[in-house]
Amino acid sequence: MPQVTSQDASDAVLGALVGDDCSWCATGTLVREEFKGDAAVVCVECGTPAARVW
C-alpha cells in the first residue's frame, strides 16, 4: 500500500477546489493562497476561504 503524507493529502484536497466558483459571492473564482499563514483556497474577489489546512 503506498503511503500518502498529510501534505500530499492537503495538496490534493486544495488542488481539487482551484478554479471552482466561490459559494459566497456571485463572481469569484477559487485560487491557492495563504490565509492567516495556512495553506488555503481563497476567492479572488471576496477573499473568503473555501478550504484551509493548518
Side-chain angles (χ1 to χ4, degrees):
M1 173 186 270
Q3 290 186 346
V4 176
T5 67
S6 61
Q7 181 66 41
D8 291 340
S10 298
D11 288 343
V13 169
L14 296 177
L17 295 172
V18 171
D20 286 356
D21 294 335
C22 178
S23 57
W24 297 102
C25 70
T27 59
T29 303
L30 302 177
V31 296
R32 290 286 300 262
E33 283 189 14
E34 281 193 7
F35 183 80
K36 296 186 178 182
D38 298 321
V41 177
V42 179
C43 176
V44 294
E45 292 296 320
C46 69
T48 303
R52 178 177 169 197
V53 181
W54 61 94

